[in-house]
Amino acid sequence: MKLFFIVFLNGLTLASLYFITACGFTLIFGLMRTVNMAHGVLLLLGAYIGYEVVEMTGFWVLGIIAGGLSCALVGAFLQAFILGRYQGDELRQTLITIAISIILADFLLWAWGGLTYQISLPEMLQGGIRLPLLNVGYSVVRLTLIGMAIVVGVLLWLLIAKTKLGIIIRAGVDDREMLQALGFEIKKIFIIVFAMGAALAGMAGVIFGSALSISPGTDIQFLLSSLVVVIVGGMGSVGGAALGALLIGLAEQYGLAYAPTYGVVFTFLIMVTVLAFRPQGILGRAEQ
Amino acid sequence: MSRTLLLIVVILIILPAFISDFWLNQILTRSIILGIAALSLTFLTTYLGVVSFAQITLAGVAGYTIAYFSPNTTGLGIELPWLFAVALALLFSTLAGAFVGAIAKKSVGIYSIMITLAISMAFFYFTRQNYSIFNGWTGFSGITAPVAFGVSLEDSLVFYYATLLSATAAGYLVVKFTSSPLGLAVQGVKDAARRVRAIGIPTTPVIIAAYAFSGFIAGMSGVLNVWQQERISSFSVGLGPTIDLLIIAVIGGMRHPLGAFIGAITYVLIDTFVIDLFSRDRFNMIIGLVLLFIVMAAPQGILGSFLSAQKRIRKYDNNAIKRKIKNDCEI
Amino acid sequence: MIVKFKKIILVGAVAIACLSQPILAADKIKIGVISILEGAFASLGQDGVRGAELAFKEAGGKVAGMDVEIIVMSSDASPDSAVNAARKLIDHDNVDIIIGPLSGSEGIALRDLSKGNKGVTFVNGSSAAQDATFREGSDNFFRFGGDGAQWMAGVGTYAFEELGYKKVAVVAEDYSFPYTQVLGFMSEYCAAGGRVPKKFWTPIGTKDYSSVVYSIPDDVDAIFVALGGADAVNFLTQYDQAGGDKPIIGGTITIDQSILDSKGPFKKLLIGAPAGTPTVSDYEGKEWKEFTASYLSNFPEGMTSPTIFAHHYYMAGKAVLLGLEQVDGDLSNQHKALRASLNNLEFVTPTGGTMRLDENRNGIIDNFVTEVYEREDGSLGNRVLKLVSNVNQTMGQDPTAFRAIGAVSRENPSCP
Amino acid sequence: MPLTDGSASNQRVALNLKGVTRRFGSFVAVDNLNMTIKTGERRAILGSNGAGKTTLFNLITGDFPLSEGSIEIEGVESSTLPTHKRIQAGLRRTYQHALLFDSLSVRDTLLLAVVGIHNKWPLFYPLKKNSKYHEKAEALAKVAGLSSKMDVLVGALSHGQKRQLEIGIALSGDPKIVLFDEPAAGLSPAERPVLTELLLSLPKKLSVILIEHDMDIALETSNIVSVMHNGKHLLEGEPEEVVHSDIVREIYVGKRQ
C-alpha cells in the first residue's frame, strides 16, 4: 500500500515534468498546426546550454533562462527563415522539422559528445527529505517539479486567457484566416509563438537535465513522450496536455513498479485506446 | 511512361551481368525492397491523402511472422513450409494494416502522421520488451531464404530477380487497385469523403481497405527484407527505419509509384557511400541536409521535379505531344 | 520516344560503367573494424577503434611483410546496423578480417552472419553476450576478451564471503549483455549461499527509476546494479535522493570511469562498491602501464586512460596480427591456417595475463574484483582487490552442469 | 404548371420529417420542422440565406446527425442510419458547392456513383470494359450532357459541367427522392433553360426537393412550395399562392427589392 502511494507521487512528479516538456509542443501545434518534430532536439539544446551556463556561473536559474532564451532564438530563426515560408503546408513543415532535428541532433553530439550530463541543482533543491506520512525519503527536486508545473501551467493560462497576445492566439486556434483578415501580422505572431514554444522546450530541458539527466537519445524520448501526452490529452490544448501528462506519468510509473517489462507499452496502449474512442484526444476539439 | 517503365525493367533484368555482388545485394536488391515499402507509403499518400508512419510496422509484422515460422537460430517459433509462412506473413500484415486503418480512419494530414507514429512506436516498444514472440532486443537471427520451386533464394542473383518480380507485382497491384472501383472510392475519399457517402459508399471500410492494401504491399517488402537481412529485431521497426522510409518517399516523390524506387536507390547510395566520401562521424548531418534540401527545393521529390521539368520543356511542342505526355505521366 | 530511348541507353551505359569495379590484387591485408560511432555510445566506440588502431600502429602498419589497410564502419548499437556494416565490409571493401562489434546483441548478429561468410575471419571486439560463442558458436568467429559473465568472476563470492551480503536485489537493463553479467554474478553468489529475491529488468534508456527505487525490498543487504551510461547515473541519483543507503555492487560498465567522472552527489553511494571487470584503468601492473603509455602517446586526444573498449579492441587487433604473422599472411582455403593459429594462440595481455582460447573460441581471461575508492583529489577511481586468473566461460564450473542452466534470460538463473 | 395530378392525398409518402431539429451550440439551425413529401412530388423550398435550407438537406442525408426529431425514408425510420444506407434506400442529393472527386475522370465518378448504390457493392474486382456498370455510367453521362467529357478529369471541368455532373450522380441507380441544392447557382443565363428542361424531364414517380434562389426555375419546376425562415417551416402551398402571401413578401421577396 505504501508503494502504491509512493508510485502515485512518482507518477505525479513525472507527469509534472512531462507537462512542462509537452507545453511548448502543444502550444505550437495548437496555434500553427505545425507538428514540431524538432521539439525534442530543442529540449536537448536548451539542456546543454543550461548546463554550460550553470557550470560557468553557478546559478541554476540563470541556466534555465539561458536554455530558454537560446532555444527561443533558434526557434524564431527556424520559423522566420525556414518554416514560415511553408505555413499551411503541414506535411512539408513536418518533414522540415524532421530534417532539422536530424541535423541539430548530430551537431549536439559533435559539440557535447555522447556523455551523460547532469545539471547541478542549487543547494536547497539537492538531496532528499523524509516524507511525513509515508516515512520514506523523497527527492526535493521531484517535489519541486509539481510546483514548477503549476507555475508554468498558470503562467501559460494567464498568458492565453488574459493578455492581448493570448486573445490573438486563441482566435488563431479557432480561425487562422480571421486573424489575417483582421490585419494582424500573422507572420510575426507565428514567430513569437514558435519562439515561445521553443523557449518552453529549452527551459524544460534544463529542468529535465537537473531532475534526471540528459544524453544523446533524450531528444527522441521526449519528442515521443510529448507526442503521446498531446495526443492523449487533446492536440493544442494546455489543459489537455496537463491531463495527458498525468495519465501517462501515472501509467508509466505504475507500469515500472508493478510490471517493469511492459511499462513503456502501457503508455502507448492508453494512447491507442484513447484514439480508438476519441480521435481528437480527451480534451481536444474534433478535427475538421 | 509505360514504355519507359518497360525499359527500366529491361535494364534492371540485364544489369546483374555487369555489377559486383555488393552492388547487386547491398545496393540494388536493398533499394528495391525499400522501394516496395516506400510504395506502400506513397500509395496511401497519393491516393488516400494520408501520411502513414506505420508502414515499417506493417512490414515488420510480416517480417516477424516469417522469422517466427522459419528455421532460425533463436530457438523460438514453429517451422512451417515457406509458402505457408509467406501467406501468413502477408495475411498478418494486411490485417495489421486494417487495424491501423481502423484506428486512424478519422484522421488526415498531420493527425494521421501523429497517430500512425504513435502506433508504430507502441509496436516498437512491444517487440523490444516481449521475449516470448519477438525475442526482445536481440530479435531473430539466422533466418535463411527458402528454396522455392527448386531454386534457392539464398543465391543473390535468384533473390534479386525474385525481388524485382515482387516489385513489379507490387507496382502492378497498385495500378490495378487504383483503377478498381474500390481504388476509385479511395481516391474519392481523398477528394471529398462526404460525397463518397452521398453516393452510397460507406467511407470507413474504404479507408480500412486502403490501409489493409498498403499493409499487403508493406508485407511483401517485410518478407523480402527478412530474407535478405537474415534477421529482424526491434531495431528493424524502430523510429530510425520509420523516418528513413518517409525520407525515401519524400526524396523520390509521392506522385507516381516509381518515385518510391527512385527515392530508395538515392537513399541507399547516400546511406552506403556518404561514410566513404565524408567524415563517418557526421553521416546523419549529411542525411538531414539532403532531406532539408529536397523538401525545400524540390517538394515533389526527384521524380516529381523531373516530370514537371519535362512538362515545362515540352510545353512548346504541339498539342498532340502534350496530350501524349500527360497520359504518359499518369499511367 | 526514340530520343528518350537513346537517353535511357546512355544513362544505363554510364551507370553500368560506374558500377563495374576493378578487381584488386591481393598484396595487402584488409581489415574492417566495426564499432559504434553514432548515438549515445559514440565516445566509447571511438575508443574501441583507437584500441584496434593502436595494435596496428605498434606493428608499424604491416604484417607478414604485407601492408594492412584498415576500414572503419559504424554501427548504432543495433544488430541490424552491425550486420549492414559487416556486409559492406565483406561485399564492397572485400575485407579479409573483421574486428568488432562493440555491444552484446550485435555480437550475436555477427556470429550468425559469420556462418554464411566462411571466407572472412571475425574477431569480436568488446561484445560480451554469452551466447555469441557459448551456444551456436561459429568456427570463424573468435572472442579473445571473454563474455560478460566472466567479467563478473570473483564478485559473487567476494560479496557473500567477504562483505557478508546474504540477500541482494538486482537492477539491470533488459537485454543480452546485462543478462550475461547477472548470470556471472549469480552463478557464484547463489552457489556460495546468497539469495536474489528480486530482479528488476528495466528497458534501456529508462530515465525515471523512482518507482523501481521504492520497490526494492527493505531486507536486502545490497543492490547489484548492471546499468550503463546515463541509466546508471539516473538510477544512482534517484536512489540517493530517495534516501537509499544500501551498498551497491557494480556491473562491469556501471563502475566505468566515465560514470565515476560524472558529477553528482550519487557518487558517495559508489565508494567502496565492489565490481568485476577485466580492465582497471589505473592498474599498477607493468604491462598495463606500458599499454597506457603507448595509448596516450598515440592518441593524445583520447581518454585519460584506455577504456575497456580500447583494451578489448586492442587485444582483438593484436591476436589478428599475431595469427597472421604465424601463418605468414596465408589466407588460402578459407583462412584455414589462420583459424588454426588463432585457436592455439597464446599472448601476454595488457593486464599481464596470458590470453588463449577455449574450445568455443572464447578467451580464457584474467578478471579483477575491484573497489571504487576516493582518490586524494576527491575524484573516484577503481582499485584492485583481487585477481581471478584463468576464468573460462563456465566460470570454473563443470561445463555440462553449467550448460544445463540453459540460455540466460530474465528468469534464468534464479535463486530467490 | 403542376406536374402531378390532383389526387395527391392518395399517394405514398416518400419522405416524412417529424420535429426535425438541429442545434449548433446555442444556435438552432433547423427548428422543429415537419414536412411530408409524397411520391412524385416536386417541392421547392424558399427562404433567405441562413434560413436552414442546406442544413435541412444535410440532416436528411445524414451528413449531420439530428439533435431531435425523426426522418422516414420510404416509410423506414432512418434518423440514425448512416448516409450511405439512406442513399441505398433511394435518396440522392446534389451539393450547393459542387463536391466532387477532382482527381477522378467523369467516367470514374459516374461509375462509382453507379456502383455505390448497390447493396452488395462490386467494389473489389476491376470492372470489365463493357459491363453493365459502364453502360449505366454512359447513360447517366448522356442525361447530364457530359457524354463527350467522359475521360476528362473532374477537376478540369467548367463550373457548369460540374453542376451537370452533380445532377448526373444524383440520378444514378434507381432514385426515389432527389434533393437539389441550388442547381442553378453560378450558371449563365443560357445554361438555365437547359437545367429547367432537365428538371422537368425527370421521371414522374421521382420525388424532388429543390432549393433554388432563381424564382423562375423554382416556380416552373415545382408543384408545391415551402418557405423556411430562421430554421422554421413557415408555410407550404401551391406556388402561386405562396409567392403572393404576405409572409413571403416580407421575408423573401421583400428582401430582393
Side-chain angles (χ1 to χ4, degrees):
Chain A
M1 207 55 208
K2 192 166 98 176
L3 181 65
F4 184 86
F5 283 113
I6 295 171
V7 173
F8 181 79
L9 193 57
N10 289 340
L12 199 63
T13 47
L14 183 65
S16 307
L17 197 55
Y18 279 171
F19 172 72
I20 298 171
T21 52
C23 265
F25 188 76
T26 201
L27 185 73
I28 291 176
F29 183 84
L31 178 65
M32 300 159 63
R33 290 289 178 267
T34 304
V35 180
N36 180 18
M37 299 287 277
H39 184 71
V41 82
L42 282 172
L43 184 139
L44 200 55
L45 172 72
Y48 281 134
I49 290 182
Y51 170 83
E52 295 298 339
V53 170
V54 173
E55 285 300 295
M56 225 149 47
T57 63
F59 289 105
W60 187 67
V61 178
L62 222 55
I64 292 198
I65 295 171
L69 271 183
S70 51
C71 283
L73 281 177
V74 174
F77 174 84
L78 289 182
Q79 175 65 25
F81 295 103
I82 302 179
L83 286 171
R85 288 207 244 164
Y86 307 106
Q87 206 62 50
D89 188 348
E90 293 148 349
L91 175 61
R92 198 168 346 171
Q93 287 190 323
T94 309
L95 292 169
I96 289 174
T97 56
I98 289 178
I100 288 168
S101 76
I102 295 173
I103 297 168
L104 211 52
D106 205 38
F107 168 77
L108 294 181
L109 181 65
W110 175 64
W112 275 279
L115 291 176
T116 306
Y117 286 79
Q118 247 183 341
I119 299 167
S120 335
L121 286 162
E123 198 77 16
M124 54 179 289
L125 293 183
Q126 281 176 10
I129 51 160
R130 285 207 92 70
L131 292 180
L133 288 168
L134 297 165
N135 195 31
V136 288
Y138 206 83
S139 138
V140 177
V141 65
R142 280 189 83 100
L143 288 176
T144 329
L145 283 177
I146 302 178
M148 289 186 211
I150 293 173
V151 170
V152 170
V154 168
L155 283 181
L156 213 55
W157 175 77
L158 282 176
L159 179 94
I160 289 177
K162 301 286 174 196
T163 64
K164 188 177 166 216
L165 181 69
I167 293 165
I168 298 171
I169 290 176
R170 271 183 299 146
V173 172
D174 291 332
D175 190 349
R176 265 183 289 171
E177 280 84 40
M178 197 188 77
L179 269 192
Q180 216 136 17
L182 289 178
F184 285 102
E185 260 196 80
I186 197 147
K187 264 191 175 165
K188 215 153 92 188
I189 293 167
F190 278 1
I191 293 173
I192 293 173
V193 172
F194 203 97
M196 270 169 42
L200 279 169
M203 294 193 288
V206 182
I207 294 173
F208 185 81
S210 317
L212 302 171
S213 70
I214 41 156
S215 52
T218 310
D219 50 338
I220 306 281
Q221 283 178 338
F222 267 78
L223 172 64
L224 290 179
S225 73
S226 297
L227 190 75
V228 175
V229 161
V230 166
I231 287 181
V232 168
M235 305 179 198
S237 138
V238 175
L243 186 64
L246 198 60
L247 272 175
I248 298 304
L250 287 173
E252 209 166 282
Q253 288 300 316
Y254 279 111
L256 205 55
Y258 294 102
T261 329
Y262 288 104
V264 205
V265 184
F266 286 162
T267 318
F268 285 90
L269 278 183
I270 290 183
M271 187 200 61
V272 171
T273 316
V274 168
L275 286 181
F277 295 101
R278 226 183 128 74
Q280 69 271 38
I282 297 173
L283 292 185
R285 58 188 88 221
E287 304 166 21
Q288 230 0 292
Chain B
M1 194 56 125
S2 49
R3 207 175 298 183
T4 318
L5 266 178
L6 197 70
L7 263 169
I8 293 173
V9 170
V10 168
I11 290 176
L12 285 173
I13 289 174
I14 56 168
L15 204 51
F18 304 94
I19 59 177
S20 73
D21 249 21
F22 173 75
W23 276 86
L24 187 64
N25 292 327
Q26 292 302 304
I27 306 293
L28 268 188
T29 309
R30 188 167 159 230
S31 297
I32 297 174
I33 294 173
L34 280 172
I36 299 174
L39 177 63
S40 82
L41 172 58
T42 53
F43 159 77
L44 279 180
T45 310
T46 312
Y47 298 109
L48 187 61
V50 300
V51 176
S52 163
F53 269 39
Q55 301 313 107
I56 282 290
T57 302
L58 302 179
V61 167
Y64 270 113
T65 312
I66 291 287
Y68 194 82
F69 292 113
S70 303
N72 61 63
T73 54
T74 314
L76 260 187
I78 306 156
E79 248 186 85
L80 287 183
W82 72 274
L83 263 178
F84 281 105
V86 171
L88 271 182
L90 293 178
L91 175 69
F92 288 165
S93 67
T94 308
L95 288 177
F99 176 74
V100 173
I103 290 179
K105 62 177 183 281
K106 288 182 183 156
S107 306
V108 291
I110 35 177
Y111 296 92
S112 73
I113 292 183
M114 293 171 81
I115 284 165
T116 50
L117 178 59
I119 294 171
S120 77
M121 286 302 103
F123 183 71
F124 162 67
Y125 282 114
F126 191 75
T127 57
R128 171 162 290 190
Q129 293 308 117
N130 178 289
Y131 277 77
S132 54
I133 304 173
F134 296 102
N135 203 32
W137 175 280
T138 310
F140 291 85
S141 53
I143 306 147
T144 47
V147 176
F149 313 113
V151 282
S152 170
L153 286 175
E154 273 194 86
D155 181 88
S156 53
L157 195 62
V158 175
F159 188 69
Y160 168 74
Y161 284 125
T163 307
L164 192 58
L165 191 68
S166 307
T168 318
Y172 178 79
L173 279 177
V174 168
V175 171
K176 275 290 148 193
F177 182 88
T178 50
S179 58
S180 79
L182 182 60
L184 296 177
V186 169
Q187 296 167 69
V189 168
K190 182 189 74 180
D191 287 346
R194 263 173 84 192
R195 171 51 98 181
V196 173
R197 289 191 287 271
I199 57 175
I201 299 176
T203 46
T204 304
V206 170
I207 294 170
I208 292 178
Y211 274 98
F213 178 76
S214 87
F216 183 85
I217 301 289
M220 291 172 77
S221 125
V223 171
L224 292 167
N225 188 49
V226 165
W227 283 343
Q228 199 208 11
Q229 299 289 317
E230 299 180 347
R231 55 168 300 102
I232 186 166
S233 70
S234 56
F235 293 95
S236 323
V237 294
L239 186 63
T242 301
I243 288 188
D244 291 347
L245 195 67
L246 185 74
I247 293 176
I248 288 171
V250 172
I251 290 180
M254 304 213 194
R255 276 189 171 172
H256 191 284
L258 204 55
F261 295 96
I262 292 176
I265 184 97
T266 314
Y267 174 82
V268 168
L269 287 174
I270 295 174
D271 185 40
T272 314
F273 293 111
V274 157
I275 200 164
D276 292 344
L277 298 177
F278 300 91
S279 149
R280 60 177 184 238
D281 301 342
R282 297 282 74 83
F283 163 73
N284 280 320
M285 204 173 275
I286 308 281
I287 285 277
L289 286 170
V290 169
L291 177 64
L292 188 62
F293 176 77
I294 292 206
V295 175
M296 291 183 70
Q300 304 300 338
I302 293 174
L303 182 66
S305 303
F306 175 73
L307 288 179
S308 42
Q310 195 184 35
K311 264 187 192 167
R312 271 203 299 279
I313 295 164
R314 302 285 174 101
K315 220 173 187 171
Y316 305 101
D317 293 6
N318 63 49
N319 283 336
I321 288 181
K322 219 151 73 181
R323 261 202 308 281
K324 174 99 184 72
I325 290 164
K326 190 164 180 305
N327 291 338
D328 276 347
C329 295
E330 278 145 14
I331 276 224
Chain C
M1 258 312 136
I2 289 183
V3 177
K4 222 181 204 174
F5 181 80
K6 272 186 184 160
K7 200 159 68 191
I8 285 163
I9 292 291
L10 194 69
V11 170
V14 171
I16 289 165
C18 295
L19 305 188
S20 334
Q21 294 212 315
I23 286 132
L24 292 164
D27 55 350
K28 64 178 172 186
I29 302 274
K30 282 188 159 188
I31 297 177
V33 176
I34 297 175
S35 186
I36 300 175
L37 301 172
E38 47 199 283
F41 296 135
S43 57
L44 309 177
Q46 278 158 6
D47 211 42
V49 175
R50 280 185 208 117
E53 281 175 351
L54 183 59
F56 298 115
K57 277 190 178 180
E58 285 179 357
K62 273 185 179 295
V63 64
M66 288 188 278
D67 286 334
V68 176
E69 185 186 345
I70 310 250
I71 301 151
V72 178
M73 280 296 288
S74 166
S75 67
D76 63 8
S78 75
D80 303 38
S81 70
V83 167
N84 271 337
R87 287 231 172 93
K88 182 174 180 246
L89 288 173
I90 296 167
D91 294 337
H92 183 65
D93 299 318
N94 298 313
V95 298
D96 305 298
I97 291 158
I98 287 178
I99 293 176
L102 186 139
S103 82
S105 296
E106 292 180 303
I108 294 176
L110 285 199
R111 173 207 62 194
D112 283 331
L113 184 75
S114 72
K115 291 178 180 171
N117 290 281
K118 294 295 182 193
V120 177
T121 297
F122 290 72
V123 181
N124 181 60
S126 57
S127 160
Q130 185 191 43
D131 280 355
T133 52
F134 195 59
R135 287 181 179 78
E136 309 259 359
S138 161
D139 59 9
N140 54 335
F141 185 88
F142 300 84
R143 174 159 67 191
F144 285 88
D147 69 20
Q150 289 169 278
W151 295 356
M152 291 313 292
V155 180
T157 317
Y158 181 80
F160 187 82
E161 281 168 7
E162 309 282 327
L163 300 174
Y165 300 152
K166 305 294 175 212
K167 273 188 182 180
V168 165
V170 166
V171 180
E173 282 150 342
D174 198 0
Y175 71 103
S176 55
F177 171 66
Y179 295 164
T180 307
Q181 289 244 289
V182 171
L183 167 87
F185 172 74
M186 284 178 66
S187 65
E188 268 185 28
Y189 184 70
C190 298
R195 287 289 160 256
V196 178
K198 208 152 167 54
K199 287 182 275 186
F200 298 92
W201 299 111
T202 56
I204 196 166
T206 299
K207 287 287 172 204
D208 191 344
Y209 288 88
S210 51
S211 290
V212 170
V213 164
Y214 291 105
S215 305
I216 291 169
D218 286 335
D219 62 345
V220 297
D221 301 314
I223 308 169
F224 175 62
V225 182
L227 302 170
D231 291 359
V233 173
N234 284 330
F235 172 78
L236 292 169
T237 304
Q238 290 163 31
Y239 186 65
D240 173 60
Q241 285 171 345
D245 51 6
K246 307 245 184 247
I248 303 290
I249 303 167
T252 302
I253 56 171
T254 312
I255 44 84
D256 184 79
Q257 195 63 41
S258 66
I259 290 171
L260 298 184
D261 287 345
S262 304
K263 290 176 185 64
F266 73 89
K267 282 163 62 178
K268 69 175 186 289
L269 275 172
L270 282 175
I271 296 172
T277 175
T279 310
V280 185
S281 46
D282 31 11
Y283 182 47
E284 293 293 328
K286 173 173 78 78
E287 291 85 355
W288 184 258
K289 294 212 146 173
E290 283 168 17
F291 174 63
T292 306
S294 168
Y295 171 91
L296 290 176
S297 68
N298 276 293
F299 304 105
E301 82 290 355
M303 308 273 183
T304 51
S305 67
T307 61
I308 189 168
F309 305 101
H311 179 198
H312 281 71
Y313 273 79
Y314 173 80
M315 283 195 290
K318 185 149 178 163
V320 166
L321 287 170
L322 291 170
L324 283 170
E325 204 68 59
Q326 276 187 9
V327 301
D328 205 19
D330 173 17
L331 293 177
S332 63
N333 200 4
Q334 299 201 324
H335 301 197
K336 192 174 173 223
L338 175 65
R339 279 190 228 172
S341 99
L342 287 178
N343 272 324
N344 297 316
L345 206 60
E346 281 196 16
F347 62 95
V348 177
T349 67
T351 55
T354 305
M355 176 56 63
R356 63 207 183 282
L357 296 182
D358 64 15
E359 70 279 12
N360 292 327
R361 293 159 303 283
N362 189 71
I364 297 168
I365 67 163
D366 286 350
N367 201 48
F368 299 99
V369 180
T370 62
E371 177 186 59
V372 177
Y373 75 109
E374 195 166 5
R375 294 175 182 143
E376 275 168 18
D377 60 0
S379 65
L380 299 187
N382 281 304
R383 66 177 164 215
V384 175
L385 295 173
K386 212 163 98 180
L387 171 66
V388 188
S389 299
N390 296 329
V391 181
N392 65 8
Q393 207 167 11
T394 62
M395 313 277 297
Q397 296 182 31
D398 173 54
T400 337
F402 192 78
R403 199 172 283 272
I405 299 172
V408 289
S409 69
R410 287 175 184 147
E411 290 81 27
N412 193 26
S414 169
C415 61
Chain D
M1 193 187 284
L3 289 164
T4 48
D5 54 28
S7 57
S9 55
N10 300 332
Q11 283 175 300
R12 287 176 50 217
V13 173
L15 181 69
N16 196 9
L17 311 177
K18 278 188 285 193
V20 166
T21 303
R22 170 68 197 195
R23 283 181 286 268
F24 294 101
S26 58
F27 171 67
V28 185
V30 175
D31 193 356
N32 194 22
L33 180 141
N34 296 299
M35 195 182 280
T36 305
I37 314 289
K38 301 204 173 68
T39 302
E41 185 174 302
R42 306 293 154 106
R43 182 182 298 244
I45 299 183
L46 305 181
S48 53
N49 285 328
K53 304 182 301 282
T54 297
T55 306
L56 178 65
F57 273 18
N58 284 333
L59 294 173
I60 297 173
T61 52
D63 282 24
F64 298 162
L66 287 178
S67 300
E68 270 165 47
S70 83
I71 293 171
E72 280 175 22
I73 297 170
E74 296 281 309
V76 178
E77 166 59 43
S78 306
S79 317
T80 54
L81 285 184
T83 304
H84 66 271
K85 296 259 187 204
R86 304 187 199 196
I87 303 298
Q88 287 166 3
L91 187 67
R92 302 284 183 279
R93 78 170 291 182
T94 70
Y95 285 88
Q96 185 181 356
H97 305 288
L99 188 61
L100 294 165
F101 314 133
D102 284 352
S103 52
L104 297 187
S105 65
V106 172
R107 181 191 306 279
D108 289 341
T109 303
L110 290 173
L111 264 178
L112 264 188
V114 171
V115 166
I117 45 87
H118 282 260
N119 270 326
K120 293 171 189 148
W121 22 293
L123 282 178
F124 287 95
Y125 53 88
L127 298 175
K128 288 201 192 79
K129 265 275 175 280
N130 302 317
S131 70
K132 58 179 176 168
Y133 303 108
H134 277 90
E135 280 169 30
K136 286 183 179 173
E138 299 272 359
L140 281 179
K142 204 169 170 196
V143 173
L146 290 169
S147 292
S148 62
K149 303 280 179 191
M150 282 303 260
D151 293 311
V152 176
L153 287 187
V154 172
L157 291 179
S158 73
H159 180 80
Q161 289 164 337
K162 283 186 180 172
R163 306 222 68 104
Q164 284 166 267
L165 182 57
E166 281 270 346
I167 293 170
I169 293 172
L171 296 177
S172 66
D174 182 20
K176 300 201 165 58
I177 309 154
V178 184
L179 316 178
F180 289 102
D181 196 348
E182 295 199 34
L187 292 193
S188 67
E191 286 168 319
R192 285 170 188 244
V194 181
L195 177 72
T196 311
E197 200 61 40
L198 187 94
L199 289 174
L200 286 173
S201 67
L202 295 175
K204 290 276 181 285
K205 63 178 179 44
L206 198 65
S207 312
V208 171
I209 309 180
L210 174 73
I211 298 175
E212 187 48 73
H213 282 276
D214 185 324
M215 270 302 189
D216 297 335
I217 296 181
L219 297 180
E220 195 178 343
T221 58
S222 65
N223 51 16
I224 188 159
V225 172
S226 281
V227 178
M228 279 183 77
H229 186 60
N230 286 344
K232 290 191 175 67
H233 189 192
L234 283 190
L235 82 164
E236 63 180 15
E238 298 276 322
E240 290 301 310
E241 176 187 326
V242 170
V243 169
H244 296 110
S245 71
D246 292 344
I247 288 178
V248 171
R249 205 171 279 280
E250 193 178 313
I251 65 165
Y252 186 77
V253 184
K255 249 186 189 165
R256 291 173 78 196
Q257 289 164 348

